[in-house]
Amino acid sequence: MPRPLQRRFSWRTALLGAGGVVLVLAGAALLMPQPVRRLLAPPPVQGLKARLSLDGRLLGHFPYGEVSTSDLVTIAPGVQLHRDAGEALQALQAAAAAEGVDIRVLSAFRSIALQKQIFFDVKSERNQSALERAQVSAPPGFSEHSTGYAVDLGDGRAPATNLSPSFDETAAFRWLQAHANRFHFHLSFPQTNRQGVSYEPWHWRFEGSADALKTFEAAQRLER
């Protein structure tokens, strides 16, 4: 009884197939160099296995550099902001105070080193996954606070709402909603934001200079 025909292994066929894969990858790299580089690059933050998405985000957050210390000014004991944001914020607070609203600064500039400590230490304390932690705190190198343009605000008459979604029930938040744009401050993470970051009514960023607008250009594009 004749044996069924068996395909013989062909090095030529294998090499042609491998060559086709290489050509496809090379073509993709030429047509889409940035996305391919991001996918092939190692994870951007040591200790996190997460990789960058095609638009450059890590767990929802865009990358941000650290402001030069020469551009920082002290706006309160131990609290610093980029000088442009600092001047605008103080004007905002004065305008709110004139209407009987007490807007307090809870947090402002944070170095990448401090952000790393906050991200990983609290992640460990709360037994959170990287994704769970990133919904409420940016990984180091991906925080708006490191730019010197971002600030967390609270209501001096309702401290129990600090860093809580219930801050949006305060007089301070209502005033910010009505007037913050006049001082070039923008709510970074509104409800159902497309970055996928948890709602943070207390977190505002300054967009009142060419440099600030350029810094947040990617995040602004995602909002459109």
Side-chain angles (χ1 to χ4, degrees), residues 82 84 149 206-217 220:
H82 189 287
D84 295 337
Y149 290 127
F206 175 75
E207 296 182 347
S209 69
D211 183 69
L213 286 172
K214 184 178 179 180
T215 297
F216 299 115
E217 183 179 5
Q220 291 163 351

Side-chain angles (χ1 to χ4, degrees), residues 61-62 110 115-116 118-119 133-144 200:
H61 297 271
F62 286 103
R110 292 202 292 261
Q115 189 67 27
K116 179 179 180 179
I118 291 172
F119 185 88
R133 183 68 188 135
Q135 289 176 341
V136 295
S137 181
F142 292 80
S143 172
E144 292 185 354
E200 295 187 357

Side-chain angles (χ1 to χ4, degrees), residues 81-95:
L81 272 180
H82 189 287
R83 62 167 57 89
D84 295 337
E87 292 174 3
L89 180 63
Q90 288 176 327
L92 179 153
Q93 287 178 294

Side-chain angles (χ1 to χ4, degrees), residues 118-158:
I118 291 172
F119 185 88
F120 285 104
D121 286 359
V122 178
K123 175 181 178 296
S124 178
E125 288 173 8
R126 298 180 182 176
N127 193 30
Q128 293 174 316
S129 69
L131 180 58
E132 289 171 332
R133 183 68 188 135
Q135 289 176 341
V136 295
S137 181
F142 292 80
S143 172
E144 292 185 354
H145 284 284
S146 298
T147 69
Y149 290 127
V151 64
D152 293 336
L153 301 174
D155 189 319
R157 293 183 173 83

